[in-house]
Amino acid sequence: MAAAPLPQLATDIRDGLVLLLPDLPGLPATERPKRLAQALGLPADALTPEALLARLAVPSGAAPGDLWPVLVDLLRTAARGATRAAPNWSLAIANVLRAGPTEVQALGTTLPPVLNVTFELSDALDLVPGLAVRDGISLVLALPTAVPDDSTLAFRADGMELALVDHELLKLLAPGGLSLKGSLGVHLDRNGLRLEGGSNGKGIALPLDRAPAGLRAPSLYLAARDGGLQLTTSFRASLLGVADATVDGVGLEIRPTAGGYTPSVVPPKGLGLTLALGPAKGGGFLGEHDGQYRGALSLSLGLVEVKAFGILQPRPPSVLVALSAEFTPAIELGLAFTLNAVGGLVGIGRALDRAGLAAVVQSGHLEDLLFPADAAAAAPRILTTMGTVFPARAGSTVVGPMFRVGWGRPVSFVTADVGVVLELPSGVVGILGRLRIALPAPQAPVIDLRASVAGVVDAANGLVEINANLAGSRLLTSSVEGGLALRAKSGQDATFILSAGGFHPRYTPPAGFPTPKRLTIPIADSPFLKVVFSGYFALTPGTVQAGAELSAVIGTRSTGVSGRLSFDALVRWEPSFGVMLDLGGSFALRVAGATLCSVGLRVHVDGPTPCWHIAGRASVSFLFFDVSFPFDEHWNCTGQAVAPPPPDVCRALEQALDNPRSWEPVLPDGVRTMVSLRAEGVAAGRLLHPLGRLRFSQRTVPLGIEVVRFGPGRLPKPTTFDVAVTFPSGAGTAQPVTEDFARADFFDLTDDQKLTQPAFERFRSGAELTPPPTAGSATRTTVPVEYETKWLGGTAPAAPWRISDAAFQAALPHGAVGRSLVHELSARYATPLRKPVLKERLFAIASRDTLKAHTGSLSKNTFTEAAAQLRTVTGRSGLLQVVPAYEVRP
């Protein structure tokens, strides 16, 4: 039967008892519980603690939140599943009746004006593992006759105990585990639900009766969470006698499940530490954030200031700790050099994120990873930066040292912070650096230059990346900003890019390459005079890019003079030196927001070969008149540039064939060497494995494809070069080998193509030879086993002395082969090959409008091959373009 609100409950119980009491004394003992249950509004066989709680506690609609209904349901579930068949309970109405598990007694036949129904559970009740009510539960309903709306309910659970005995952290703070005992009091009337102890953001504060010795200011809170209950505690305690710890938010969460409730431990929301042990003084915190624990520690050890930051992630498990120690005064190293600080970083289950590292450099927050100045104020940002640069990754580890070196007298006005971080097992190396030059002193610098540098060296993938930033720098009274970025990569998608301040406006950098900030110096910065200089320089395999802008404003935005001058240059060397230059300038005079006159100029210059070419437009505006002057001129036209003598590519290829470095022995697929062999009288690296292959590869010129130039020199005519490498007998097989070649060194590319097309591509560079299978009749060579014998201790026997076969067999397990990893793991000498999971990059011809593949064309391995195929297309080839194959629409 559904529970009713208090006024209706008062009326129903009183009406039922009025009918029952006259007959109750004459009823048999076995009938009394049934009739009492019916009078209270329960089924005849439901006079049980569970049913009485459901009826008398009014869980439905009694509270503005869901705390009270969930608590009542938890008590009912615990009473139903108690270890005893029927827990000790009693139901009493003063001077009217008394009921228990075994009998119902009649004490009177009339009802008082105020009917006090008292229900009690005297036994200890285990609600869930870790939470119990030890001293009983009482519930009192006051049901007045005259005004049913004045009915009240008073509930009390004494000895409510929260016990966390298996939590390792709590065992350190409270030997034997944490056990808190308190009381819960609830009052319900027409004004709603009230709980004793008050409430805050953590929940209802329960008054405590008992706490473990050593805990200071303990508190216990009860709150509703996601259809269940949560009990959390906060306290202070001593940590191993050396520090004072403050714990907040640890406790127990109880969630409803099928047929009951399941508890789970709530880890601490925060942990604070205060240390005062001899000369060591300091403190720190550890707080929960997005499922992680993040914290900082500052510790003074007299002459050393130690700072630590850490991130702990339970799932998947990972930990990241950065530690630094600053020396006051600094340690003298000689020649005015000092060691100002040392530190280190360790991350288990953490990796180095290149994009995150580049973003930190560009934002000017690299100091968050290298000896932060104000660690206490910047702790949240520092921890966020650490998590961004070193994200969680299972199976990965980062570790590395850091140090700060100063130079100068009497204080270090030059300081350099350096950190080297190694990522395992990938072998990626991260380099963190920061340089500061502060003259005449760091405390009050007139010149303050700060450069942050971060780099990544990935030897396995042939990648080197460097990013630098001048954020926070000042020259006299002017700020200095700018950045630098470098990327050098070999292998697939090989490239080389260096940029200081950005790129030419028509150049699109590769995906993922950070565009550095413009190099900017405010020459003058006052309310009525602003002069700003900015510029950039960039170097790519096919171009050199440079540009600058000088802008000035005299006066205010509404009244004054403004002007700007700018240039963007693209420099080339082949077939001869040339420059493509874009110049721009403007001038404007404004009065009261209106422009009285203005002058603009745009110029494009290209030369000097085959001739100088200048084109552009000049415009003048004065009041209501606008005049423009276009121009386009050529001069000093000498025809095509005189190319240098044709290079002797064949001779260069012959030299590559004779170069030992062009030949490389290759192990069989999936094979690991068990021992390292020493080649006496043979050049290093020239030994060939008996089952291996021989590879010839050169980077002089691409093979099997038509080229028109060789570096700065142009060939007399388009030529295809090739090299055939075979065994003397012609037997065996040969597979092509590819290398990265700079396209601008072998093909004619326009300036636009150098800016927009791939700088490197893989072309055939040689061949890999596989010997033919050995015939059964082939000549075989037997080599005797030779070994060196040393006699340790005692008198050596007379020479010659040789070890016996039995002793030799016993010694074999201790040799190089027996102790090798392959032998130890009992692995096969040659392991099965893994199939490649990455698709080879292809290029295709597609429509410029729809990106659909052109009918009749095939995808090619390189951009150059696809472009050559495009030149063979007849008809409307201008509507087609070469794109990566993955961009083609079906």
Side-chain angles (χ1 to χ4, degrees), residues 479-545:
S479 61
V480 181
E481 294 184 353
L484 180 144
L486 167 69
R487 174 184 290 179
K489 186 179 185 302
S490 61
Q492 190 173 4
D493 299 329
T495 187
F496 175 84
I497 300 177
L498 171 65
S499 172
F503 296 96
H504 193 281
R506 297 167 61 188
Y507 179 76
T508 302
F513 187 87
T515 301
K517 294 181 179 179
R518 276 285 193 267
L519 299 174
T520 305
I521 301 178
I523 299 175
D525 189 5
S526 65
F528 298 101
L529 176 61
K530 295 182 182 296
V531 181
V532 179
F533 171 81
S534 63
Y536 68 90
F537 175 82
L539 181 64
T540 69
T543 67
V544 173
Q545 308 167 34

Side-chain angles (χ1 to χ4, degrees), residues 52-108:
L52 289 171
L53 280 171
R55 178 60 170 162
L56 303 179
V58 197
S60 177
D66 58 353
L67 174 62
W68 177 243
V70 174
L71 179 61
V72 172
D73 189 62
L74 177 62
L75 294 173
R76 291 176 52 206
T77 303
R80 179 176 65 247
T83 55
R84 301 183 184 182
N88 286 328
W89 61 273
S90 64
L91 179 70
I93 302 176
N95 301 321
V96 176
L97 61 83
R98 178 179 297 274
T102 59
E103 62 177 345
V104 175
Q105 299 179 0
L107 304 179

Side-chain angles (χ1 to χ4, degrees), residues 690-751:
L691 303 178
R693 302 185 299 275
L694 184 63
R695 175 183 296 168
F696 166 74
S697 181
Q698 50 79 38
R699 296 189 179 182
T700 303
V701 64
L703 303 179
I705 190 169
E706 189 178 83
V707 298
V708 298
R709 62 187 321 106
F710 185 73
R714 174 175 291 276
L715 301 179
K717 62 178 181 179
T719 308
T720 301
F721 297 91
D722 214 333
V723 174
V725 183
T726 62
F727 289 103
S729 62
T733 59
Q735 296 294 331
V737 176
T738 60
E739 295 282 358
D740 293 299
F741 292 89
R743 299 177 66 247
D745 289 341
F746 305 100
F747 309 102
D748 282 336
L749 302 178
T750 66
D751 293 329

Side-chain angles (χ1 to χ4, degrees), residues 595-598 620-627:
T595 301
L596 296 184
C597 66
S598 64
V620 177
S621 175
F622 181 74
L623 296 178
F624 306 106
F625 300 97
D626 295 322
V627 181

Side-chain angles (χ1 to χ4, degrees), residues 732-779:
T733 59
Q735 296 294 331
V737 176
T738 60
E739 295 282 358
D740 293 299
F741 292 89
R743 299 177 66 247
D745 289 341
F746 305 100
F747 309 102
D748 282 336
L749 302 178
T750 66
D751 293 329
D752 284 340
Q753 290 171 338
K754 292 177 182 179
L755 291 172
T756 58
Q757 293 181 4
F760 286 87
E761 281 196 310
R762 296 189 72 86
F763 296 107
R764 185 160 61 86
S765 60
E768 188 172 278
L769 305 178
T770 302
T774 303
S777 59
T779 303

Side-chain angles (χ1 to χ4, degrees), residues 8-94:
Q8 184 63 45
L9 180 64
T11 303
D12 293 343
I13 291 180
R14 182 174 292 277
D15 292 345
L17 292 175
V18 167
L19 297 176
L20 171 66
L21 289 181
D23 301 333
L24 185 61
L27 292 175
T30 56
E31 290 293 323
R32 292 182 179 182
K34 298 179 181 179
R35 292 290 303 276
L36 178 58
Q38 294 174 350
L40 296 176
L42 299 174
D45 57 348
L47 195 63
T48 62
E50 176 191 0
L52 289 171
L53 280 171
R55 178 60 170 162
L56 303 179
V58 197
S60 177
D66 58 353
L67 174 62
W68 177 243
V70 174
L71 179 61
V72 172
D73 189 62
L74 177 62
L75 294 173
R76 291 176 52 206
T77 303
R80 179 176 65 247
T83 55
R84 301 183 184 182
N88 286 328
W89 61 273
S90 64
L91 179 70
I93 302 176

Side-chain angles (χ1 to χ4, degrees), residues 294-315:
R294 300 183 175 185
L297 174 68
S298 179
L299 188 63
S300 174
L301 300 175
L303 301 179
V304 182
E305 296 286 338
V306 179
K307 301 173 184 176
F309 296 88
I311 301 176
L312 173 64
Q313 179 174 290
R315 296 180 183 176

Side-chain angles (χ1 to χ4, degrees), residues 635-654:
W635 73 95
N636 286 347
C637 295
T638 60
Q640 293 294 330
V642 178
D648 190 351
V649 182
C650 292
R651 176 58 182 164
L653 270 179
E654 291 176 356

